[in-house]
Amino acid sequence: MSDIEIAQQAKMRPIIELAGEKFGIPAEHLDPYGHFKAKLSLEYLNSLHDKKDGKLILVTAISPTPAGEGKTTTTVGLGDALNRIGKKTIICLREPSLGPCFGVKGGAAGGGYAQVVPMEDINLHFTGDFHAIGVAHNLLSALIDNHINHGNPLDIDPRRIQWKRVVDMNDRALRKIVVGMGGAANGYLREDGFDIVVASEVMAILCLATSRADLKERLGRIVIGYKSDKVTPVYARDLNAHGAMAAVLKDAIKPNLVQTLENNLAIIHGGPFANIAHGCNTVTATKTALKLADYAVTEAGFGADLGAEKFIDIKCRMAGLTPSAVVLVATVRALKFHGGVAKDELNQENLAALEKGFANLERHLSNIQNHYGLPCVVSINHFTFDTDAEIQLLKSKCEALSAKCVIAKHWAHGGAGAEELANAVLDIVDHREPEFSFVYDSELPLWNKIEAIATKLYGAANVSASPKVMSEIKALQASYGHFPICMAKTQMSFSTNPNSKGAPSGHTVEISEVRLANGAGFIVAIAGDMMTMPGLPKVPAAERIDISDDGVISGLF
Amino acid sequence: MSDIEIAQQAKMRPIIELAGEKFGIPAEHLDPYGHFKAKLSLEYLNSLHDKKDGKLILVTAISPTPAGEGKTTTTVGLGDALNRIGKKTIICLREPSLGPCFGVKGGAAGGGYAQVVPMEDINLHFTGDFHAIGVAHNLLSALIDNHINHGNPLDIDPRRIQWKRVVDMNDRALRKIVVGMGGAANGYLREDGFDIVVASEVMAILCLATSRADLKERLGRIVIGYKSDKVTPVYARDLNAHGAMAAVLKDAIKPNLVQTLENNLAIIHGGPFANIAHGCNTVTATKTALKLADYAVTEAGFGADLGAEKFIDIKCRMAGLTPSAVVLVATVRALKFHGGVAKDELNQENLAALEKGFANLERHLSNIQNHYGLPCVVSINHFTFDTDAEIQLLKSKCEALSAKCVIAKHWAHGGAGAEELANAVLDIVDHREPEFSFVYDSELPLWNKIEAIATKLYGAANVSASPKVMSEIKALQASYGHFPICMAKTQMSFSTNPNSKGAPSGHTVEISEVRLANGAGFIVAIAGDMMTMPGLPKVPAAERIDISDDGVISGLF
């Protein structure tokens, strides 16, 4: 059965009933969106202020390959397993973006018997959060050009506007455009472009905001560009945009509750795309889970070099969170791919390739243990083609690095298939105090922060940038030197070359662009050729998506 | 008190409870969106198939002025009044668009004590229908450029793509753009543009579709442009886009239920902007109201020359609907404005100007009575500055044209203020059989249909078009000659000149552009300088919109 077919057979429970029964959440604090999705009021979260936090478990992965790893699936499976063995657990996931849903990837709500439901809703629109983010972002964009059109009293330099527009679609034609064509009635001609919604600073702001007041304050301090003196920033608040932007986000700021196939509570809230964004779910969602449950299992996007790094250095730093353990997800297939095996030969045993590809896992594991200071369990998402010899090799190699390696079968068996993983995780979080650390100190200059990430985590020999980018970083250092870095880098490799598999070393990380995200409170450093607007493949997934006359959706996967 | 303050004091009842109690709608057929909005399943509507229809009452207005007329307010007031006097009534409104909400107009959910609630939600996002329409539209746009980028096997002529992109924002800078800049990775350079979401053909399709199957079929037959032979149409179904587009609209197709301040049921579903779109709510919504209630009160956008004409010639024709009566809304102030009085002098009695401006009302009334064949009640939205002499003059002039004229005070008094209006309407609908007719016959050639609208309704002497537009109309005639016309014209005047008040005659209507809307099933004829993407004013309403730390919204009006 396909994922969507399994999901459609789920016996879902009314979410308000479930949330009340399992966690005592009063119905008046829940806004239903249909019968199986609900938003939780911020007031309820505030009422839990004095409650002790549960333990935070981060699920991350090796560098992704076309073979598939299953990070979301593992997060769901681990959560279900912890609940099965009597541990009060909530999982926190990130909302899928429509772009990849229509593109290559398909849905993003787990897989097999480890899914969150209602799967179609979660993948299509969900509770409208990303639409609200898009509107808030594009309202600011429209206000900028409108301001210039009506005489530009703020003296915005139209050549130095850095606030683009967004759409929740993979649409390469919009990456770089000219706006304002067609004569005087349409304003002034200038270069512009669209990013995908998840790359919007508004997404990062929503994810990091701790209250409505903080949200509005952050929106107000967005720097949209500079005045004609080239140096004076223009803020969103100068355009009186932040009040309306915050109003547009009035519901988006509330965490969304859904359930797993096994009727355990899941919170899905905030941003994916850890390659170009910070790629973590919202601070609000994580804090809610920590207050409600004894264990909160959350994921960070792509490999541990991207999602986990930003989870640690941006989200945990800003929100004062301390993870207790990390689960590093891998598959035998993906490791063989990192070892050089072609995609259609991954089902054959190949110990040499597995040993070679293990270098990718080893680097991630070492980063987690040594640079984040966190204990780690390696979870191997089981495929039927995995051989005993391969699994034994993997286990012994992990143990040599003092990490337990567990074979997890939640994809086929749901929570029951991940009980060993759950127990391995509990062994750590219930008995070890993490000696958690950041990869770099806040006081380090921006350039050195970038170097720290690249040399410590990516295995790079050095970082380079054009004189133009260097001088931009220097200019940002004066006012924003204390900000963390949000790296935008391919998820496919430790280097900036997506084809460089395994654990490349000694390479140079070229910073091609930097962007100030003053509302989010970080500096985006774009490494290599990263695009903040994806394109669609030759045969987009959208061509397979369909709906029957009686409303049953197919082709989401 | 402002509208939003009145709305925030409403004693709303849980919508599922209300729908069950008043109309026996079972809870399982309602998807809640929060506690005060819900979507009704299409299956429930289908189950009412054999039930007798109620009577359909259309609310329309004189040509709008900056003085304000209050069509939505009257629709709400009339509905509440009919319910007050014991008539089972449902009102059907159109969903507000975010563009005007941030622009000049503010909200669109009634006013004073005749409003639908929750007002903030209805104005901001509502249940996400317009976002879904935007995504469905832009998915098709992305698929077009992606198809060309990957080799263009359908041989689409990039210069003849007529499917633009959309955003729910007043953003003049996007009216005319160049896409695909930045080199090979971003596709092919071409001219493009954005319309506001409500102007999307997907909106019209959603409004006119009678089932999921009909929706998908219509989406599939959208003509996105032509092949390089210049004449062979390329359909959305050629790009395999229609299945995913219909899936994206899975919830948007379901009518939305809310309530009035007086706890009467209202259905709000589908498209505004009768100047550039067809501007009627959905056929599904109207049919639901007719099945559930004895009286369905609905509105059509702007003046009776635009919204009402399209309601009759497009919506009623396609859906087989027959209205029983029309309410024509006017204000003394607006009529004086049509008579030449400046905006800041409208509060002073001016019988001469009123008499002069009455020409606008007279033309609309005559159109309704003679060209739509429908009985009409004139409803004067009362303002405190209206003098007895002015009201008497208005009443006597209406009576001379065999139309009853009623002063309605629902803005100040809710349903109680519109009881006289309700009784006047009942007098007609319960005792007269309408001799309903269309303005033109389906068999008339396209050009003659345009002429019929312009000469019969607008008072024009003739219609003109450039040779290019004439030849486009001629080309469309061969395949689409049976389609009705969707005129896009300024709402401010019977002519194409927005400053020409009253009832201009003998003018020429210049058709500047025609567009095929094959999925909707009509031809858009753009008269004069109409734009399908509005701009923001010098001080946009967005600057006043705000949200407090505890989530209370202000500045929507």
Side-chain angles (χ1 to χ4, degrees):
Chain A
M1 277 200 293
S2 68
D3 287 352
I4 191 169
E5 286 163 342
I6 293 171
Q8 283 167 349
Q9 291 183 3
K11 289 196 176 53
M12 288 189 285
R13 295 196 45 202
I15 191 73
I16 291 188
E17 203 178 293
L18 192 69
E21 184 185 299
K22 295 216 174 182
F23 294 93
I25 305 173
E28 66 264 30
H29 281 292
L30 290 165
D31 278 338
Y33 280 66
H35 299 285
F36 306 106
K37 297 163 286 172
K39 279 189 170 280
L40 184 66
S41 80
L42 295 187
E43 287 63 34
Y44 184 67
L45 174 57
N46 292 342
S47 77
L48 303 176
H49 185 266
D50 295 329
K51 218 169 155 276
K52 193 171 162 281
D53 279 345
K55 304 224 175 184
L56 180 58
I57 300 152
L58 174 68
V59 179
T60 181
I62 61 168
S63 305
T65 72
E69 290 69 43
K71 194 167 60 262
T72 302
T73 308
T74 299
T75 308
V76 175
L78 174 58
D80 280 342
L82 285 164
N83 276 299
R84 268 181 76 86
I85 59 179
K87 302 296 177 183
K88 206 170 170 180
T89 304
I90 292 180
I91 59 167
C92 289
L93 302 174
R94 297 158 310 137
E95 301 182 47
S97 159
L98 279 167
C101 180
F102 298 137
V104 175
K105 194 182 175 194
Y113 287 88
Q115 293 189 56
V116 277
V117 282
M119 186 264 210
E120 305 91 324
D121 290 20
I122 293 170
N123 280 303
L124 300 171
H125 310 305
F126 198 23
T127 55
D129 294 344
F130 286 11
H131 297 318
I133 290 167
V135 171
H137 184 116
N138 289 332
L139 171 58
L140 180 54
S141 313
L143 289 171
I144 294 167
D145 281 301
N146 189 59
H147 182 89
I148 295 172
N149 182 62
H150 287 292
N152 197 11
L154 286 172
D155 188 27
I156 300 168
D157 184 343
R159 304 161 307 172
R160 285 187 169 78
I161 295 168
Q162 58 183 27
W163 192 256
K164 300 203 282 184
R165 288 171 166 87
V166 294
V167 65
D168 197 9
M169 192 64 65
N170 289 8
D171 195 346
R172 69 172 67 73
L174 292 177
R175 280 178 192 144
K176 203 162 188 177
I177 64 175
V178 169
V179 300
M181 287 175 59
N186 299 350
Y188 293 89
L189 211 70
R190 66 180 184 89
E191 253 190 59
D192 196 14
F194 275 77
D195 287 336
I196 190 161
V197 163
V198 290
S200 167
E201 186 180 345
V202 177
M203 172 69 84
I205 289 173
L206 186 87
C207 289
L208 295 168
T210 51
S211 66
R212 286 196 193 88
D214 183 41
L215 177 77
K216 190 159 75 181
E217 208 280 320
R218 284 171 178 268
L219 292 168
R221 67 173 192 247
I222 289 170
V223 171
I224 61 100
Y226 297 87
K227 303 202 175 197
S228 66
D229 65 7
K230 304 182 188 179
V231 293
T232 310
V234 180
Y235 299 96
R237 61 174 177 258
D238 297 335
L239 292 155
N240 296 321
H242 54 311
M245 292 171 77
V248 161
L249 296 169
K250 75 187 178 73
D251 297 314
I253 196 176
K254 301 177 192 169
N256 305 295
L257 304 191
V258 291
Q259 63 194 286
T260 67
L261 292 176
E262 301 186 4
N263 306 124
N264 293 310
L265 211 62
I267 305 182
I268 307 191
H269 197 213
F273 279 67
N275 49 355
I276 54 179
H278 85 304
C280 300
N281 62 8
T282 65
V283 167
T284 314
T286 308
K287 289 200 166 172
T288 303
L290 289 171
K291 289 296 179 195
L292 287 172
D294 297 325
Y295 301 90
V297 183
T298 189
E299 57 170 353
F302 293 123
D305 53 333
L306 284 166
E309 187 272 318
K310 297 174 196 177
F311 179 83
I312 301 286
D313 281 319
I314 298 176
K315 180 174 170 175
C316 289
R317 193 192 305 257
M318 286 192 194
L321 297 170
T322 304
S324 294
V326 175
V327 174
L328 180 62
V329 177
T331 60
V332 170
R333 289 162 52 88
L335 290 171
K336 287 190 285 192
F337 189 88
H338 274 293
V341 176
K343 200 182 161 187
D344 53 2
E345 289 166 16
L346 290 173
N347 292 341
Q348 293 155 34
E349 184 177 274
N350 190 333
L351 295 171
L354 181 61
E355 180 130 24
K356 188 168 168 227
F358 185 80
N360 186 272
L361 193 156
E362 184 173 356
R363 169 85 57 80
H364 286 296
L365 182 56
S366 159
N367 287 344
I368 293 163
Q369 291 174 327
N370 303 322
H371 295 302
Y372 310 153
L374 289 170
C376 183
V377 176
V378 175
S379 176
I380 304 297
N381 233 337
H382 182 69
F383 277 73
T384 43
F385 298 101
D386 300 348
T387 70
D388 285 345
E390 287 175 328
I391 286 170
Q392 279 318 314
L393 176 64
L394 209 44
K395 285 197 168 191
S396 65
K397 287 189 77 71
C398 287
E399 271 155 35
L401 299 164
S402 9
K404 180 146 192 177
C405 171
V406 178
I407 307 302
K409 299 186 174 178
H410 44 268
W411 187 87
H413 304 295
E419 282 191 21
E420 192 189 340
L421 173 63
N423 282 313
V425 169
L426 287 175
D427 253 4
I428 294 175
V429 297
D430 288 348
H431 303 110
R432 274 200 246 170
E433 275 302 310
E435 290 169 52
F436 170 57
S437 63
F438 300 117
V439 176
Y440 52 80
D441 199 85
S442 289
E443 301 312 309
L444 213 60
L446 295 173
W447 181 255
N448 303 80
K449 286 174 185 164
I450 297 171
E451 279 184 336
I453 296 168
T455 55
K456 288 188 192 177
L457 305 183
Y458 301 169
N462 58 303
V463 181
S464 72
S466 67
K468 179 173 170 287
V469 171
M470 288 298 283
S471 80
E472 284 170 6
I473 293 173
K474 205 176 152 191
L476 290 170
Q477 178 63 38
S479 303
Y480 312 101
H482 57 294
F483 277 5
I485 302 293
C486 181
M487 291 292 282
K489 178 184 73 67
T490 177
Q491 68 273 23
M492 305 303 277
S493 172
F494 279 110
S495 77
T496 56
N497 171 8
N499 299 317
S500 180
K501 300 295 165 198
S505 287
H507 49 94
T508 296
V509 171
E510 162 86 18
I511 302 299
S512 56
E513 192 183 334
V514 285
R515 295 182 189 172
L516 167 63
N518 193 43
F522 55 63
I523 304 291
V524 179
I526 299 181
D529 288 330
M530 280 309 291
M531 282 168 179
T532 45
M533 167 56 89
L536 289 170
K538 188 159 186 174
V539 183
E543 294 194 24
R544 286 185 292 267
I545 298 173
D546 203 0
I547 184 167
S548 71
D549 293 353
D550 51 354
V552 180
I553 289 180
S554 55
L556 275 175
F557 56 101
Chain B
M1 280 200 291
S2 68
D3 287 351
I4 192 168
E5 286 164 339
I6 293 172
Q8 283 167 348
Q9 291 183 3
K11 290 197 175 52
M12 289 189 284
R13 294 197 44 202
I15 191 74
I16 292 188
E17 202 178 294
L18 192 69
E21 183 185 300
K22 294 217 172 181
F23 294 94
I25 305 174
E28 65 264 30
H29 281 292
L30 291 165
D31 278 339
Y33 280 66
H35 299 285
F36 305 107
K37 298 163 284 173
K39 278 189 170 281
L40 184 65
S41 80
L42 295 186
E43 288 63 35
Y44 184 68
L45 175 57
N46 292 341
S47 77
L48 303 176
H49 185 265
D50 295 331
K51 219 168 155 276
K52 193 171 163 283
D53 281 345
K55 303 223 175 185
L56 181 57
I57 299 152
L58 174 67
V59 178
T60 182
I62 60 167
S63 304
T65 71
E69 289 69 43
K71 196 166 58 260
T72 303
T73 308
T74 299
T75 307
V76 176
L78 175 57
D80 280 343
L82 285 164
N83 276 299
R84 269 180 75 88
I85 59 178
K87 302 296 177 181
K88 207 170 168 180
T89 304
I90 293 181
I91 60 167
C92 289
L93 303 174
R94 297 158 310 136
E95 301 182 47
S97 161
L98 280 167
C101 179
F102 298 137
V104 175
K105 196 183 173 193
Y113 287 88
Q115 293 190 57
V116 277
V117 281
M119 185 265 208
E120 305 91 324
D121 290 22
I122 294 169
N123 281 304
L124 300 172
H125 311 304
F126 198 22
T127 56
D129 294 344
F130 286 12
H131 296 318
I133 290 168
V135 171
H137 184 115
N138 289 333
L139 171 58
L140 180 54
S141 313
L143 289 171
I144 294 167
D145 281 300
N146 190 57
H147 182 90
I148 295 171
N149 183 62
H150 287 293
N152 198 9
L154 287 172
D155 188 27
I156 300 167
D157 185 342
R159 305 162 305 173
R160 286 189 168 76
I161 295 168
Q162 58 183 29
W163 192 257
K164 300 203 280 184
R165 288 172 165 87
V166 294
V167 65
D168 198 9
M169 193 64 66
N170 289 9
D171 194 348
R172 69 171 68 74
L174 292 177
R175 280 179 193 146
K176 204 163 188 177
I177 64 175
V178 170
V179 299
M181 288 176 59
N186 298 351
Y188 293 88
L189 210 71
R190 67 179 183 88
E191 252 190 59
D192 195 13
F194 275 76
D195 287 336
I196 190 161
V197 163
V198 289
S200 167
E201 187 179 345
V202 178
M203 172 69 84
I205 289 173
L206 186 88
C207 289
L208 294 168
T210 52
S211 67
R212 286 195 192 88
D214 183 41
L215 177 77
K216 191 158 75 181
E217 208 279 320
R218 285 172 178 267
L219 292 168
R221 69 173 191 248
I222 289 171
V223 170
I224 62 99
Y226 297 88
K227 303 201 175 199
S228 67
D229 65 6
K230 305 183 187 177
V231 292
T232 310
V234 180
Y235 299 96
R237 60 174 178 259
D238 297 335
L239 292 156
N240 297 321
H242 53 312
M245 291 170 78
V248 161
L249 296 169
K250 74 186 180 72
D251 298 314
I253 196 177
K254 300 176 192 169
N256 306 295
L257 304 190
V258 291
Q259 62 194 287
T260 67
L261 291 177
E262 300 186 5
N263 307 124
N264 293 309
L265 211 62
I267 305 182
I268 307 191
H269 197 214
F273 278 67
N275 49 354
I276 54 179
H278 86 304
C280 300
N281 63 6
T282 66
V283 167
T284 314
T286 307
K287 287 198 167 173
T288 303
L290 288 171
K291 289 296 180 195
L292 287 172
D294 297 324
Y295 301 90
V297 183
T298 189
E299 57 170 353
F302 292 123
D305 53 333
L306 284 167
E309 187 273 317
K310 297 174 196 179
F311 179 83
I312 300 287
D313 281 321
I314 298 176
K315 179 173 172 176
C316 288
R317 193 192 304 257
M318 287 193 193
L321 298 170
T322 304
S324 294
V326 175
V327 173
L328 180 62
V329 177
T331 59
V332 170
R333 288 162 52 89
L335 290 171
K336 286 189 285 191
F337 189 88
H338 274 293
V341 176
K343 201 180 161 190
D344 54 2
E345 288 166 14
L346 290 172
N347 291 341
Q348 292 156 34
E349 183 177 276
N350 189 332
L351 293 171
L354 181 62
E355 179 130 25
K356 190 169 167 224
F358 185 81
N360 185 272
L361 192 156
E362 182 172 358
R363 169 85 57 80
H364 286 296
L365 182 57
S366 159
N367 287 344
I368 293 163
Q369 291 174 327
N370 303 323
H371 296 302
Y372 309 152
L374 289 170
C376 184
V377 176
V378 175
S379 175
I380 303 299
N381 233 336
H382 182 70
F383 277 73
T384 41
F385 297 101
D386 300 348
T387 69
D388 285 344
E390 287 174 327
I391 287 169
Q392 278 318 313
L393 176 64
L394 208 46
K395 286 197 170 193
S396 66
K397 287 189 77 72
C398 287
E399 271 155 36
L401 299 164
S402 5
K404 181 145 191 178
C405 173
V406 178
I407 307 303
K409 300 186 173 178
H410 43 268
W411 188 87
H413 304 294
E419 281 191 23
E420 191 188 340
L421 173 62
N423 283 313
V425 169
L426 287 174
D427 254 3
I428 293 175
V429 297
D430 289 348
H431 301 111
R432 274 200 244 170
E433 275 302 310
E435 289 168 51
F436 171 56
S437 63
F438 301 117
V439 175
Y440 52 81
D441 197 85
S442 290
E443 302 311 309
L444 211 60
L446 295 172
W447 181 256
N448 303 79
K449 286 174 186 163
I450 297 171
E451 280 184 336
I453 295 168
T455 56
K456 286 189 193 178
L457 304 183
Y458 301 169
N462 58 303
V463 182
S464 72
S466 68
K468 178 171 170 288
V469 171
M470 288 298 284
S471 80
E472 284 170 6
I473 293 174
K474 205 175 153 190
L476 290 170
Q477 178 62 38
S479 305
Y480 313 101
H482 58 294
F483 277 5
I485 302 294
C486 181
M487 291 293 282
K489 179 184 71 70
T490 177
Q491 69 274 22
M492 305 303 277
S493 171
F494 280 109
S495 77
T496 56
N497 172 8
N499 299 317
S500 179
K501 300 294 165 198
S505 288
H507 49 95
T508 295
V509 172
E510 162 86 17
I511 303 299
S512 55
E513 192 184 334
V514 284
R515 295 182 189 172
L516 169 62
N518 193 43
F522 55 62
I523 304 291
V524 179
I526 299 180
D529 290 329
M530 278 309 290
M531 283 168 181
T532 47
M533 168 58 88
L536 290 169
K538 187 159 188 174
V539 182
E543 295 193 24
R544 285 185 292 267
I545 298 173
D546 202 0
I547 184 167
S548 72
D549 293 353
D550 51 354
V552 180
I553 289 180
S554 55
L556 275 174
F557 55 101

